[in-house]
Amino acid sequence: HLRPDGIVVVGFGADRGYALAAFDTDIEASGLRREHRFATWDLRPWHPGADFAVTVLRLPAE
């Protein structure tokens, strides 16, 4: 459950059977909006070769 304008942070290994592209498609289908993506929990910049993804999502307020 997430209230309007609420955020959720999701992190997972990008090479563990759930492709990041599929995750992005699922984000869009759920109505969430991706606000940020990082390569580590300590917020190092995302890059295409990263083996981990930390994504900050927001449920739009309407």
Side-chain angles (χ1 to χ4, degrees):
H1 301 279
L2 193 61
R3 67 180 176 87
D5 203 36
I7 63 168
V8 61
V9 180
V10 178
F12 64 92
D15 59 349
R16 297 186 182 170
Y18 184 35
L20 204 50
F23 178 64
D24 289 340
T25 298
D26 292 341
I27 290 168
E28 188 174 324
S30 74
L32 294 169
R33 183 179 69 222
R34 188 176 83 196
E35 294 212 340
H36 303 285
R37 176 160 290 147
F38 304 98
T40 64
W41 283 111
D42 62 350
L43 309 181
R44 294 182 191 235
W46 167 255
H47 56 90
D51 60 356
F52 199 82
V54 176
T55 306
V56 179
L57 307 168
R58 183 178 302 275
L59 181 62
E62 297 298 324

